[in-house]
Amino acid sequence: MNYLEVDDLSATELIDVLDRAGETKLEPVLSGKGVALVFEKPSARTRNSMEMAVVQLGGHPVTIRPDEIGLGRRERVEDLARMFGCYHAALGARVFDHDELELMASASPIPVINMLSDAAHPLQALADLLTIRQVFGQLGGLTVAYVGDGNNVCRSLCIAAGMAGMRVRVACPRGYELSQEDEERVSRACTPTLTSDPRVAVSGADVVYTDAWFSMGQESQAEARRPLFAPFQVDDQLMAAAGPDAIFLHCLPAHRDEEVTDSVLDGPQSRVWQQAENRMHASRGLLSWLMEH
Ligand code: CP
Ligand code: NVA
């Protein structure tokens, strides 16, 4: 069983993973075992939360940079995945190209976990749901509004929220919406409201969510994107359109005064630090579940 996108789990399994994430006393299912964590891109939260989740389950994380192993150059990714299976109980990978994860999964004797690709960020989506459930005590019937780039975080959030029975709205600048392929994938979980007006998306929403205007690897597009994304900044006025009981979430890292203002990120509606902590609990819940299935 691999976890490359949230819908690799059924809706019931997703809730099971979230329930486990809320438990602090889990069986040490990784006792005496290793977990390989390969990062093609920088990471603060994912590396630390995954390493600590492995430790909390009794295991030993081995974090690996691509230049150490010559990912895809010194050796095919499929061969590396087979090799990791000789030593480890699971393989996590953060890659540019989602197809690399599919190649790893095709050859790996151990579960492969997507730690972020160009297409998806399913570990993040687990922490997002966990945070929303902690705040509101439920998921079904709530409305999440994603504002910004139709990217990896947006896709996994939409799928996760839809699977959990939430209503989903997405507001992106024209030309930066979810791809056709992503929309099709999301449509298996829910029928999101798609708009280019952030106020329409957030009106009366329970959760307002945003992410970077340009993702890792898209830095050269920054100047071209900034003016198009400026009307999508989450500021106090946009949060007011959602209402006083709405919460603000962001996968982080945040780019202050780009996609979000200081006043929202540091304000009373923000739950971003709780959300960041939940990355560790969610990863622990997922690893525990994977080791038993
Ligand atoms: N949210 C997230 O994945 O953060 P990192 O890129 O720091 O791991
Ligand atoms: N969309 C961002 C998320 C970072 C956690 C990226 O891919 O860089």
Side-chain angles (χ1 to χ4, degrees), residues 41 45-46 94 116-117 121 124 149 151-153 211-212 214-217 251-253 279:
K41 304 180 189 182
R45 281 143 289 271
T46 305
R94 169 169 285 199
L116 183 145
S117 67
H121 199 2
Q124 181 66 51
D149 190 21
N151 62 13
N152 45 8
V153 168
D211 182 18
F214 47 94
S215 285
M216 289 181 276
C251 58
L252 305 179
R279 290 294 309 275

Side-chain angles (χ1 to χ4, degrees), residues 123-142:
L123 280 179
Q124 181 66 51
L126 291 179
D128 301 341
L129 289 192
L130 193 59
T131 309
I132 297 167
R133 198 172 72 165
Q134 285 169 351
V135 172
F136 293 99
Q138 64 184 77
L139 292 168
L142 297 177

Side-chain angles (χ1 to χ4, degrees), residues 62-218:
V62 178
T63 290
I64 303 148
R65 297 288 306 184
D67 49 324
E68 293 175 286
I69 51 174
L71 188 71
R73 292 193 311 278
R74 183 164 177 260
E75 203 165 354
R76 287 170 53 175
V77 290
E78 300 95 305
D79 293 347
L80 281 164
R82 286 186 69 169
M83 176 276 297
F84 284 128
C86 299
Y87 314 121
H88 295 287
L91 165 61
R94 169 169 285 199
V95 297
F96 283 97
D97 184 353
H98 190 85
D99 290 346
E100 272 190 14
L101 289 170
E102 301 281 1
L103 287 173
M104 287 179 187
S106 71
S108 176
I110 53 175
V112 177
I113 300 168
N114 180 0
M115 298 197 301
L116 183 145
S117 67
D118 56 346
H121 199 2
L123 280 179
Q124 181 66 51
L126 291 179
D128 301 341
L129 289 192
L130 193 59
T131 309
I132 297 167
R133 198 172 72 165
Q134 285 169 351
V135 172
F136 293 99
Q138 64 184 77
L139 292 168
L142 297 177
T143 299
V144 60
Y146 177 94
V147 176
D149 190 21
N151 62 13
N152 45 8
V153 168
C154 176
R155 172 174 125 159
S156 293
L157 175 71
C158 289
I159 293 171
M163 287 172 65
M166 296 179 70
R167 284 187 287 267
V168 180
R169 301 183 196 150
V170 180
C172 305
R174 291 209 171 83
Y176 295 93
E177 299 95 344
L178 286 167
S179 68
Q180 193 68 37
E181 189 186 334
D182 290 341
E183 265 190 46
E184 278 165 25
R185 186 77 177 239
V186 169
S187 72
R188 297 186 211 164
C190 64
T191 308
T193 301
L194 304 175
T195 173
S196 55
D197 186 339
R199 292 184 72 87
V200 168
V202 306
S203 176
D206 301 291
V207 181
V208 177
Y209 198 121
T210 193
D211 182 18
W213 287 346
F214 47 94
S215 285
M216 289 181 276
Q218 297 176 331

